[in-house]
């Protein structure tokens, strides 16, 4: 019987991470690689490969759902086999009062944040089932998966929808040994939240709301991702793991 620390190891695992060139997606890809996984990090503008990092960077746009099959083909080629885990870190944001929210922005967020991860998980799961391979799919949820925030109606809709997908796929794919979970970041300083951090009043208001009295660092997500991708969470599926400094508990 392996020890508990062995169950956190991702040695030999092949992981596909979308949105993996910067911000939270990059931190996730790096953390998974440090746990032993070989990672294919996909982004529209990929990062530069760093020899020995365990991360291979691929160009791809998840919004182009017709090409997601070809994207998985390329990931399997560089990883050397069927993908064991997929992490859906790609996402976009648009801030606007609901009464003025542009329809084209609504549709863009739905396509990137909700439709694309579902279609990609479809593609990966088909291959896992055909290969009789157990797997882990990790979606990226949000504070807005559980509560409402102003001026981000489309984002809230997509992140609430993500949890509907997670619960449905978790139940449907459990007999095949495929687990489906989500990680829910709180406030981290990334490109999606930079406009808030530039506003001194908003930044101070957010800080007061966080019980741990600090914003998240991208590295704070690594442990949660390793847990959900590894055998340490073998009996965990359909769940949302919040990494928010206590925001949703307060």
């Amino acid at each position: 019987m392996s020890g508990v620390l062995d169950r956190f190891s991702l040695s030999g695992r092949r992981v596909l991470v979308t949105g993996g060139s910067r911000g939270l997606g990059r931190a996730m890809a790096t953390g998974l690689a440090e746990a032993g996984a070989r990672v294919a990090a996909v982004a529209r503008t990929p990062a530069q490969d760093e020899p020995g990092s365990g991360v291979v960077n691929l160009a791809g746009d998840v919004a182009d759902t017709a090409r997601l099959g070809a994207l998985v083909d390329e990931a399997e080629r560089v990883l050397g086999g069927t993908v064991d885990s997929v992490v859906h870190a790609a996402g976009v944001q648009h801030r606007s009062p609901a009464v003025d929210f542009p329809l084209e922005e609504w549709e863009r967020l739905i396509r990137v944040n909700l439709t694309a991860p579902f279609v990609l998980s479809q593609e990966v799961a088909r291959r896992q089932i055909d290969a009789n391979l157990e797997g882990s799919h990790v979606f990226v949820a949000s504070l807005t998966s559980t509560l409402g925030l102003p001026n981000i109606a489309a984002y809230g809709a997509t992140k609430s929808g993500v949890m509907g997908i997670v619960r449905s796929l978790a139940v449907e794919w459990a007999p095949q040994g495929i687990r489906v979970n989500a990680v829910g970041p709180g406030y981290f300083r990334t490109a999606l939240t930079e406009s808030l951090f530039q506003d001194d009043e908003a930044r101070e208001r957010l800080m007061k709301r966080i019980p741990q009295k600090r914003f998240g660092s991208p590295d704070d997500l690594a442990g949660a991702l390793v847990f959900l991708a590894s055998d340490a969470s073998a009996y965990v599926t359909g769940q949302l793991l919040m990494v928010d400094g206590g925001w949703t508990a307060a």
Side-chain angles (χ1 to χ4, degrees):
M1 180 181 295
S2 63
V4 65
L5 293 181
D6 293 331
R7 293 197 288 275
F8 281 90
S9 173
L10 295 176
S11 179
R13 303 291 178 89
R14 296 175 289 268
V15 183
L16 172 60
V17 178
T18 68
S21 65
R22 61 179 181 170
L24 300 187
R26 193 63 186 175
M28 293 177 190
T30 300
L32 293 165
E34 288 174 352
R38 182 158 171 77
V39 179
V42 177
R44 286 180 298 173
T45 304
Q48 293 295 314
D49 285 339
E50 299 177 13
S53 69
V55 179
V56 179
N57 297 286
L58 302 177
D61 183 357
V62 296
D64 187 359
T65 55
R67 291 195 52 78
L68 289 180
L71 182 61
V72 179
D73 287 341
E74 179 66 5
E76 289 183 337
R77 184 187 67 79
V78 300
L79 295 176
T82 305
V83 170
D84 294 286
S85 298
V86 57
V87 178
H88 302 290
V92 292
Q93 176 65 289
H94 181 82
R95 299 179 186 276
S96 176
V99 293
D100 299 319
F101 208 98
L103 179 59
E104 62 271 19
E105 288 297 326
W106 175 277
E107 292 175 340
R108 180 175 72 98
L109 267 68
I110 295 291
R111 184 173 64 253
V112 175
N113 296 356
L114 190 62
T115 303
F118 172 69
V119 175
L120 182 56
S121 266
Q122 273 188 314
E123 185 66 34
V124 171
R126 290 188 189 111
R127 299 173 191 227
Q128 291 172 331
I129 292 168
D130 287 346
N132 196 29
L133 178 69
E134 296 184 352
S136 171
H137 295 224
V138 182
F139 287 70
V140 176
S142 149
L143 295 174
T144 60
S145 299
T146 62
L147 50 82
L149 295 173
N151 300 320
I152 53 171
Y155 190 80
T158 63
K159 294 305 181 178
S160 297
V162 157
M163 288 312 301
I165 293 173
V166 166
R167 288 188 290 267
S168 181
L169 298 185
V171 172
E172 186 170 341
W173 293 345
Q176 285 78 38
I178 298 172
R179 297 181 297 106
V180 185
N181 292 289
V183 61
Y187 277 98
F188 290 68
R189 191 162 190 167
T190 69
L192 293 186
T193 59
E194 185 60 29
S195 63
L196 287 176
F197 281 86
Q198 292 294 329
D199 183 329
D200 292 341
E201 182 179 345
R203 187 173 64 250
E204 181 64 22
R205 184 175 67 251
L206 294 175
M207 180 68 77
K208 289 180 179 179
R209 177 68 173 75
I210 302 170
Q212 285 195 346
K213 301 305 177 189
R214 70 175 180 89
F215 296 111
S217 162
D219 292 341
D220 289 325
L221 280 173
L225 261 292
V226 170
F227 170 67
L228 292 176
S230 73
D231 291 341
S233 60
Y235 202 51
V236 177
T237 196
Q239 303 304 307
L240 169 57
L241 175 55
M242 296 303 300
V243 185
D244 65 357
W247 180 292
T248 50

